[in-house]
């Protein structure tokens, strides 16, 4: 807007677009155009702040809104469409993410990576006019990885939570992490055992093996995804 020159029209990128209140707001703006109008393309009509209601000739509709939770590895397939607000007809359209050409699939979806991105569409119409519109879309990841820890009897391959030295000789810790948005979450783990003040521990080394006088063994792990979300878990093997 440029009130000094009598221009109260908002730009599409103005924070005043769709940020007003319906309280006391007239149904026509400074130019006697109807309001409210969906100025930011999120599918919801809302009043702008100011005298003039922003109304683009080209509107973008984004399925799921302008802020979405990550639902697949690396980002989301987002449904998009372009619509004219006049009587003209779209003949062709091109889409861009951060200025780079984006491919639309058969379901009218394009891939938007994790993070904040500029989404832009350009169209050519039957009248020979060309229009463009843009929106800022955020794909965020707030979900923690899924982390599991199990002890496996090497001979039977079964999950166990207790060990009898007479029947089980080798135990394998199995640690697995998965994440919706990150194909390879990072996992680190440590092993340890409970000790008590004054407890006597007998440690014997024999061909790279160690015997410990304790009643349980614990493995703790942490998984981290590309967005910095973390998940903690631990498992205890009881020694009988």
């Amino acid at each position: 807007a440029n009130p000094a020159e009598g221009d109260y029209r908002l730009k599409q990128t103005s924070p005043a677009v769709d940020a007003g209140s319906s309280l006391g707001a007239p149904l026509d703006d400074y130019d006697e155009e109807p309001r409210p109008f969906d100025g930011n393309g999120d599918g919801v009509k809302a009043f702008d702040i100011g005298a003039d209601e922003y109304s683009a000739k080209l509107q973008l509709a984004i399925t799921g809104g302008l802020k979405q939770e990550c639902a697949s590895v690396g980002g989301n397939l987002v449904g998009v469409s372009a619509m004219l607000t006049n009587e003209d007809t779209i003949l062709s359209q091109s889409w861009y993410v951060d200025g780079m050409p984006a491919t639309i699939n058969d379901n009218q979806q394009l891939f938007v990576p994790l993070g904040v991105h500029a989404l832009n569409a350009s169209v050519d119409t039957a009248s020979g006019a060309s229009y463009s519109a843009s929106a800022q879309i955020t794909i965020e990841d707030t979900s923690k990885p899924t982390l599991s820890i199990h002890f496996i009897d090497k001979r039977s391959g079964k999950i166990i939570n207790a060990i009898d030295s007479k029947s089980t000789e080798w135990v394998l810790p199995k640690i697995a992490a998965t994440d919706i948005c990150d194909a390879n979450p990072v996992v680190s783990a440590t092993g340890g055992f409970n000790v008590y003040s004054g407890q006597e521990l007998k440690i014997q080394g024999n061909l790279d093996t160690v015997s410990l006088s304790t009643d349980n063994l614990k493995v703790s792990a942490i998984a981290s995804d590309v967005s910095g979300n973390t998940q903690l878990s631990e498992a205890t093997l009881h020694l009988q």
Side-chain angles (χ1 to χ4, degrees):
N2 186 8
E5 299 295 330
D7 183 1
Y8 298 94
R9 293 172 296 177
L10 297 175
K11 295 181 179 180
Q12 185 182 20
T13 55
S14 170
V17 173
D18 283 10
S21 168
S22 61
L23 185 63
L27 296 180
D28 293 313
D29 69 0
Y30 182 80
D31 292 328
E32 298 183 353
E33 293 180 344
R35 62 192 308 204
F37 185 85
D38 178 20
N40 62 11
D42 65 356
V44 180
K45 292 183 179 180
F47 288 89
D48 295 347
I49 297 174
D52 187 75
E53 188 80 359
Y54 173 78
S55 57
K57 294 295 189 295
L58 180 67
Q59 280 189 283
L60 306 184
I62 301 172
T63 303
L66 298 176
K67 180 176 287 189
Q68 304 183 18
E69 180 70 17
C70 186
S72 60
V73 174
N76 283 4
L77 279 174
V78 178
V80 295
S81 60
M83 302 168 292
L84 293 171
T85 60
N86 54 25
E87 300 300 321
D88 212 342
T89 302
I90 295 176
L91 293 182
S92 64
Q93 55 184 285
S94 300
W95 289 83
Y96 305 87
V97 176
D98 296 332
M100 300 298 295
T103 301
I104 302 290
N105 65 18
D106 293 338
N107 295 319
Q108 198 61 26
Q109 298 171 315
L110 55 78
F111 185 78
V112 180
L114 187 66
V116 181
H117 302 279
L119 183 63
N120 180 270
S122 297
V123 303
D124 295 322
T125 70
S127 69
S130 297
Y131 301 105
S132 64
S134 61
Q136 181 174 282
I137 183 170
T138 302
I139 308 298
E140 59 183 359
D141 176 19
T142 61
S143 299
K144 296 180 179 180
T146 299
L147 177 62
S148 64
I149 307 175
H150 299 292
F151 291 101
I152 307 296
D153 182 339
K154 186 178 180 180
R155 293 186 307 172
S156 67
K158 295 181 178 180
I159 296 175
I160 59 175
N161 55 26
I163 181 174
D164 182 345
S165 60
K166 296 180 180 179
S167 60
T168 306
E169 297 181 357
W170 296 98
V171 176
L172 304 176
K174 183 177 181 181
I175 305 170
T178 59
D179 188 78
I180 294 176
C181 201
D182 186 353
N184 298 295
V186 177
V187 178
S188 59
T190 58
F193 54 92
N194 289 339
V195 295
Y196 310 98
S197 177
Q199 179 182 3
E200 182 177 321
L201 302 179
K202 183 180 180 181
I203 303 177
Q204 295 177 325
N206 181 21
L207 299 179
D208 297 326
T209 64
V210 178
S211 300
L212 299 173
S213 177
T214 183
D215 58 1
N216 64 65
L217 176 66
K218 287 186 177 180
V219 172
S220 300
I222 181 171
S224 304
D225 64 20
V226 68
S227 300
N229 301 304
T230 60
Q231 181 67 278
L232 302 173
S233 185
E234 71 174 22
T236 300
L237 180 67
H238 300 283
L239 309 179
Q240 299 175 349

